[in-house]
Amino acid sequence: MLDTGILGLASYIFFVKSSFVRLKHNSSAIIGSTLFALSSYMIVYGQCLMWFNSIILFPLILLGYERLLNGKINFYYYGLLTLAIISNYYIGLMIVIFCST
């Protein structure tokens, strides 16, 4: 239950701070983060705690990746990506493949 709330908070931060998404209203970010946190994938894999930690980091990794694409050199992306790979190797590599395409 706490993991779902943290996932909702991480996706809310992504929706608010991302320049690619640009949600104009705060309520849209709240609704989008709630829908992402309570999607069927999260509910089904919420029982497998080892998979869930890397998914929590995914919106924050996308935010760091966006900063990297804008030309800013930051260790935010690399640090979170390393933490995702350490947390779960399989999902961490799926995130690497997603960000490399």
Side-chain angles (χ1 to χ4, degrees), residues 61-73:
I61 291 170
L62 286 179
L63 192 60
Y65 184 64
E66 176 184 340
R67 290 180 184 170
L68 188 68
L69 288 178
N70 290 334
K72 298 177 184 174
I73 298 174

Side-chain angles (χ1 to χ4, degrees), residues 1-13 33 36-37 52-53 55-57 59-60:
M1 185 82 157
L2 182 64
D3 289 338
T4 306
I6 294 171
L7 176 65
L9 178 65
S11 59
Y12 175 77
I13 291 170
S33 62
F36 180 66
F52 209 69
N53 294 333
I55 300 298
I56 290 172
L57 296 174
L60 301 176

Side-chain angles (χ1 to χ4, degrees), residues 1 12-13 24 26 31 38 40 42 59 63 65 68 91 100:
M1 185 82 157
Y12 175 77
I13 291 170
K24 294 182 180 180
N26 193 20
I31 290 170
L38 296 176
S40 61
M42 298 304 154
L63 192 60
Y65 184 64
L68 188 68
I91 297 293
S100 67

Side-chain angles (χ1 to χ4, degrees), residues 12-13 15-16 23-33:
Y12 175 77
I13 291 170
F15 287 142
V16 169
L23 294 177
K24 294 182 180 180
H25 300 290
N26 193 20
S27 61
S28 301
I30 291 173
I31 290 170
S33 62

Side-chain angles (χ1 to χ4, degrees), residues 4-97:
T4 306
I6 294 171
L7 176 65
L9 178 65
S11 59
Y12 175 77
I13 291 170
F14 172 73
F15 287 142
V16 169
K17 295 196 177 207
S18 175
S19 62
F20 290 137
V21 177
R22 294 198 190 246
L23 294 177
K24 294 182 180 180
H25 300 290
N26 193 20
S27 61
S28 301
I30 291 173
I31 290 170
S33 62
T34 304
L35 288 174
F36 180 66
L38 296 176
S39 67
S40 61
Y41 177 82
M42 298 304 154
I43 291 178
V44 169
Y45 283 107
Q47 299 171 359
C48 301
L49 297 177
M50 64 178 201
W51 299 86
F52 209 69
N53 294 333
S54 295
I55 300 298
I56 290 172
L57 296 174
F58 183 62
L60 301 176
I61 291 170
L62 286 179
L63 192 60
Y65 184 64
E66 176 184 340
R67 290 180 184 170
L68 188 68
L69 288 178
N70 290 334
K72 298 177 184 174
I73 298 174
N74 61 352
F75 295 103
Y76 181 76
Y77 170 71
Y78 298 118
L80 285 175
L81 194 60
T82 303
L83 186 63
I85 291 171
I86 290 172
S87 175
N88 188 322
Y89 187 74
Y90 179 74
I91 297 293
L93 285 180
M94 294 299 121
I95 292 172
V96 169
I97 291 170

